[in-house]
Amino acid sequence: MAQVKLNIQEGEPSSFDIYDEDGKAGEMIFDIKDNDLTVYHTEVDTAKEGKGYAKMLLDAMVAYVRDNKLMVIPMCPYVHIQFKRHEDLYRDIWNKVNEEE
């Protein structure tokens, strides 16, 4: 069973990393500044696609943001698409200040 681990780095982007029985299977790269968590990139190994790993990374990030009272700037195409498709689920944490409507 896959497990997501938080990897906080000082002075460089951090990540949520997902591991399964074969080792690291994917990551979501982010940075935190002030009250904003900016997601830059989500990637799952090609051989692991279709297992819901990207969604597990998204769910872990959303839980972390809500627990820490942060807002999300979704620069990552995957996260941005999910926020747009399911705006009702993410409206409370979506920082749209820098978005063009």
Side-chain angles (χ1 to χ4, degrees):
M1 183 171 163
Q3 181 180 13
V4 177
K5 295 183 180 178
L6 177 60
N7 179 18
I8 296 286
Q9 300 289 321
E10 290 296 325
E12 60 185 82
S14 299
S15 62
F16 289 96
D17 301 324
I18 191 161
Y19 296 87
D20 64 10
E21 61 279 352
D22 299 322
K24 187 173 174 181
E27 64 186 5
M28 177 179 282
I29 305 296
F30 69 92
D31 205 1
I32 298 174
K33 183 176 180 186
D34 300 323
N35 288 331
D36 288 318
L37 183 146
T38 302
V39 181
Y40 296 107
H41 181 71
T42 304
E43 184 172 348
V44 173
D45 290 345
T46 306
K48 305 292 180 168
E49 289 177 359
K51 295 182 178 231
Y53 287 178
K55 178 71 163 78
M56 289 175 69
L57 289 165
L58 177 66
D59 291 346
M61 180 272 293
V62 167
Y64 180 83
V65 164
R66 288 188 173 131
D67 287 347
N68 290 279
K69 297 179 179 25
L70 301 171
M71 296 294 286
V72 177
I73 299 173
M75 302 294 287
C76 165
Y78 170 75
V79 175
H80 192 254
I81 287 169
Q82 294 305 313
F83 274 38
K84 285 183 86 163
R85 283 185 185 159
H86 309 285
E87 188 169 351
D88 55 319
L89 298 176
Y90 305 115
R91 182 178 294 117
D92 62 315
I93 58 169
W94 188 358
N95 182 345
K96 292 185 175 184
V97 172
N98 297 320
E99 295 235 351
E100 294 181 28
E101 292 297 320

